[in-house]
Structures are given as C-alpha cells and as structure tokens.
Amino acid sequence: MSRPSLEVADIFRGHGPVWRRANAGHVSLGQLKVMSAIENCRTAALGGHVARCEKCAHTQISYNSCRNRHCPKCQGAAAKDWLAAREADLLPVPYYHVVFTLPAAITDIAYQNKAVIYDLLFKASAEALITIAADPKHLGARIGITSVLHTWGSAMTHHPHVHMIVPGGGISPDGERWVACRSGFFLPVRVLSRLFRRLLLERLLAAHQAGHLKFFGNHAALVDPQAFATYLTPLRRAEWVVYAKRPFGGPQAVLAYLSRYTHRVAIANSRLIACDHAGVTFRWKDYRADRRDRQKVMTLATGEFIRRFLIHVLPQGFHRIRHYGLLASGTRADNIARVRRLLNAPVIQPEVGDDSRTEADEPKPISHPCPCCGGRMVIIETFQRGASPRYRPAAAPAVIRIDTS
C-alpha cells in the first residue's frame, strides 16, 4: 500500500518542536511520549531490517514501527493480530451494535478526569446492558459484550462514547439453552438509556465522595459536594443518547466492522489533505447534516490540530477494549464452547503454523512479496536503533538520453 502524501508524523516533525516550546508545562509526559513515538515511527531512529528477494535479489530497507496505540501507522497490523485472535469467538448468530454516549456536561469534567470517568462509562454501560438483558421481560439471558472506547468526534473534538458489539441472544439462567432475541430487535434503547443514566450518576457521586475526581479552571467550584450535586441535577431529567444499529449481515461483517473500530485513532492519515500556512486541512463527517452532505473539509490552525490530536491520548495502562458477561476474559473460552454446543455449531480450532521445515539458520521470510517479481522476501540483516544497515539497495542505473534530432 502506498504511503499517504501527508501523515500526522509529518505534521509533528515539522511543527512539533515549536508547539512543545510554546506549550511547555501544559503537555503531559504521556502526550510528549506519543508525539515522540509518532515522529520516530518507521525511521532509522527505531532500527529496522534489510530484506532481499530470493528470485531477483531486489533489496529494500524497512524501518521498525513504534507500536504506539495512538499512532495512525501502527494500528493496521495491531488490528489484524487482534482480529485473528477473536475469530474463534464468533458465533453463528446475528450481532448488534449499541452505542452509549456521555452528555456534554459530563464530557467537560471527563476531560480533567479521564481514567476515572472513562472507566465509569465502561462499567455503567456494560451493567445496564447485562441487567436489562437478564430481565425476563426483555431477553432473560446472560449475554456477552465487546466494548471499544472512542473519545473523539469526526472533527477530533472530545466526545467520549463506547461502541458495543453484542451477539443477538444469550444463555438461559439454567445454562441449558440459547435464548435468541427477536429478529431485528435486541433491547429497548429507552430502557437502556434510563438505567445507564442512573448507574453513571450514582457512580459519579460515589467517585466524588471518595475524592477520586479533580476539578480545575471553570469547574474548580465543583469540588464542593453540594455544588457537584447541583451540577448533576439537570442531567437526571435529560435524555441520554443510547443508539442501537441494525444487526450485521453475518460473522464476516462483524469482523470487518471490528477491524475498522477496535484500533482506530483520533484521525487516520488518509483523511489528511494539506498542511500549509493556513493550517492543517482534513476531511471530516458532519453527522448533523443530511447523509449526502455529511462529507466536509475543515482547516485548523496547526497548533490547534496538534492539541486536538493529543487530548485523545489515553492514561497509561488504560484498556480501551474490554469484554463483559459471557465474553469476560476469565470464562470466555468455556462460555463460547457451551454456546456452540447449545447451537449445534462446530468448534473453531485456532490455526497453528507449521514451522517444522524452519531451521535456526534459515533466513526469516516477511509477509509481503517482492514488488518486482512477486518472489519471497527474506530478512538478511537487522540493525538497531539509530544505526545504519551494512547492506544497501542497489541504485537504479542512470538513464542516458541521446538527442538524435
């Protein structure tokens, strides 16, 4: 795949040093590390390897990726590996997509309390879905959930929400049968919305009482318990946004969807158009407009673009993909096996590579074929961070033009 003409890394390399000096003291260590990782990704600073084709001897240098979860260039391979591990968990049932969104008033304080409130968003949304699904008036079953946190809107504004992928049914309370939901309908979103609202507000008050929330600037007064309770009062009457989409077409559609969502970052390099004296221009989608008019172009000052990108850096160690219910990590394998038995579905065995013919001294092959002849590329040298490879690709012969006029 060809390299985009403009990348976030290019913007950081060209404007990052000046931006860091101008915002010294206002940028966290985690944000600085993300900037450094993206700037160094796929450069000699991280080392790399030299690969050569076994057929035509074409040689090329490949630099290592930073593997940072916020880097636009590194998420494709990470998503592919994650999906391969999840493929065996897919069930032959319809899957539903449910979205839980925080209201603006809580989004404002979430900006200052990311780890706490993002965690509450995960837990309250999962508890709401599991509780309503277990109610005999609705589904009456134990369900499984895969939740993915996104903190951005299309214009990179702060917009925390979770995307949930849920099988359309669950295991009965006695564990003896699979309970399928109604065709084309999973659970009532209004009921989910109101339980989610109550659970999150209760957990917010508990977090405030325990001293887990911090407030700065315009929200400094919310450190007072009464002021905080007053701040939350209007939210008890407002309708919170819970959205359920139509079911997917099948397991492969679920995989395709997850590959786009699980490892997404604030903006993909493919959406960038230009970076010049006017700022950074990129494509974005305006969901408030009619469907045919949603695709738009926006230009932000370069400093504002960098700021918006960095507000989506997650706290260190924070898990943005979580599993609940039947898909919780400790019991997932047993639950999936049970569901497959209840559905009379075949058990999917994970693929095991055959390395019997690989010898210790055999050159290690790489995944993509030779761009010249399609032959197998093998690694002939690796080099460390900041070092230069001994082998160099042969330069293309010069073309001599003769004027015959």
Side-chain angles (χ1 to χ4, degrees), residues 127-166:
E127 183 177 345
L129 205 60
I130 289 172
T131 300
I132 299 302
D135 190 337
K137 293 187 298 184
H138 299 292
L139 185 63
R142 294 186 294 128
I143 62 171
I145 303 169
T146 294
S147 292
V148 182
L149 173 70
H150 285 184
T151 63
W152 55 85
S154 187
M156 294 197 300
T157 52
H158 190 223
H159 179 59
H161 55 286
V162 291
H163 294 265
M164 290 182 164
I165 309 300
V166 192

Side-chain angles (χ1 to χ4, degrees), residues 130-379:
I130 289 172
T131 300
I132 299 302
D135 190 337
K137 293 187 298 184
H138 299 292
L139 185 63
R142 294 186 294 128
I143 62 171
I145 303 169
T146 294
S147 292
V148 182
L149 173 70
H150 285 184
T151 63
W152 55 85
S154 187
M156 294 197 300
T157 52
H158 190 223
H159 179 59
H161 55 286
V162 291
H163 294 265
M164 290 182 164
I165 309 300
V166 192
I171 298 178
S172 62
D174 61 7
E176 296 301 320
R177 61 191 177 90
W178 174 260
V179 181
C181 65
R182 288 187 294 169
S183 178
F185 178 83
F186 185 51
L187 293 171
V189 293
R190 177 162 296 201
V191 176
L192 288 172
S193 172
R194 292 181 177 177
L195 180 56
F196 171 57
R197 177 179 64 186
R198 177 172 67 79
L199 291 173
L200 190 70
L201 290 176
E202 288 175 353
R203 291 172 182 265
L204 267 178
L205 284 172
H208 189 281
Q209 292 170 1
H212 295 159
L213 299 178
K214 308 298 180 184
F215 303 98
F216 308 96
N218 296 335
H219 294 99
L222 296 182
V223 70
D224 176 69
Q226 185 59 47
F228 188 67
T230 302
Y231 182 80
L232 296 182
T233 297
L235 299 176
R236 300 182 185 280
R237 298 186 297 270
E239 292 293 339
W240 290 30
V241 178
V242 176
Y243 178 62
K245 293 186 177 182
R246 292 177 297 177
F248 295 99
Q252 293 306 316
V254 177
L255 279 179
Y257 180 85
L258 284 174
S259 68
R260 297 195 302 270
Y261 270 80
T262 52
H263 292 73
R264 183 175 288 184
V265 298
I267 188 169
N269 288 327
S270 58
R271 288 172 53 199
L272 300 176
I273 297 174
C275 180
D276 49 31
H277 65 279
V280 180
T281 303
F282 60 94
R283 288 182 291 274
W284 70 293
K285 188 179 292 185
D286 184 0
Y287 289 97
R288 294 171 297 182
D290 292 336
R291 186 174 297 274
R292 61 184 178 183
D293 297 325
R294 285 181 176 177
Q295 294 292 339
K296 298 182 179 180
V297 172
M298 176 182 294
T299 299
L300 294 175
T302 305
E304 174 62 10
F305 176 88
I306 295 175
R307 186 195 72 83
R308 288 197 189 187
F309 186 94
L310 293 179
I311 64 176
H312 304 293
V313 172
L314 295 174
Q316 184 175 3
F318 189 90
H319 295 282
R320 67 178 180 186
I321 304 174
R322 302 186 184 186
H323 307 277
Y324 297 93
L326 299 179
L327 299 180
S329 298
T331 58
R332 178 170 56 230
D334 291 340
N335 288 332
I336 292 294
R338 175 183 287 271
V339 172
R340 288 190 173 278
R341 287 196 299 270
L342 295 176
L343 294 171
N344 293 318
V347 177
I348 299 178
Q349 298 292 342
E351 293 185 4
V352 179
D354 179 13
D355 57 357
S356 58
R357 61 181 178 82
T358 302
E359 308 221 349
D361 58 349
E362 182 181 349
K364 182 180 179 181
I366 60 178
S367 59
H368 62 269
C370 173
C372 298
C373 69
R376 190 174 79 147
M377 299 286 290
V378 296
I379 296 175

Side-chain angles (χ1 to χ4, degrees), residues 5-233:
S5 58
L6 178 64
E7 298 182 346
V8 172
D10 300 323
I11 298 170
F12 280 6
R13 293 186 196 113
H15 302 272
V18 173
W19 188 87
R20 284 190 286 265
R21 287 194 297 269
N23 292 275
H26 301 282
V27 187
S28 71
L29 179 60
Q31 291 171 328
L32 291 174
K33 287 182 176 180
V34 168
M35 290 190 75
S36 177
I38 292 175
E39 289 171 3
N40 291 326
C41 188
R42 308 281 174 86
T43 69
L46 298 183
H49 63 264
V50 182
R52 177 175 293 167
C53 177
E54 292 181 320
K55 289 185 177 180
C56 69
H58 170 75
T59 307
Q60 64 183 24
I61 299 174
S62 297
Y63 297 109
N64 292 334
S65 61
C66 65
R67 297 187 179 182
N68 190 285
R69 60 177 171 171
H70 302 94
C71 176
K73 281 190 291 193
C74 291
Q75 298 315 298
K80 183 178 179 180
D81 293 341
W82 187 85
L83 287 172
R86 297 281 76 78
E87 189 170 8
D89 296 342
L90 284 176
L91 300 170
V93 299
Y95 276 76
Y96 290 80
H97 175 202
V98 185
V99 183
F100 288 82
T101 302
L102 289 177
I106 297 180
T107 295
D108 290 344
I109 59 177
Y111 183 77
Q112 300 174 348
N113 300 274
K114 292 180 179 179
V116 175
I117 295 183
Y118 293 170
D119 185 61
L120 296 185
L121 171 59
F122 266 122
K123 291 178 178 177
S125 58
E127 183 177 345
L129 205 60
I130 289 172
T131 300
I132 299 302
D135 190 337
K137 293 187 298 184
H138 299 292
L139 185 63
R142 294 186 294 128
I143 62 171
I145 303 169
T146 294
S147 292
V148 182
L149 173 70
H150 285 184
T151 63
W152 55 85
S154 187
M156 294 197 300
T157 52
H158 190 223
H159 179 59
H161 55 286
V162 291
H163 294 265
M164 290 182 164
I165 309 300
V166 192
I171 298 178
S172 62
D174 61 7
E176 296 301 320
R177 61 191 177 90
W178 174 260
V179 181
C181 65
R182 288 187 294 169
S183 178
F185 178 83
F186 185 51
L187 293 171
V189 293
R190 177 162 296 201
V191 176
L192 288 172
S193 172
R194 292 181 177 177
L195 180 56
F196 171 57
R197 177 179 64 186
R198 177 172 67 79
L199 291 173
L200 190 70
L201 290 176
E202 288 175 353
R203 291 172 182 265
L204 267 178
L205 284 172
H208 189 281
Q209 292 170 1
H212 295 159
L213 299 178
K214 308 298 180 184
F215 303 98
F216 308 96
N218 296 335
H219 294 99
L222 296 182
V223 70
D224 176 69
Q226 185 59 47
F228 188 67
T230 302
Y231 182 80
L232 296 182
T233 297

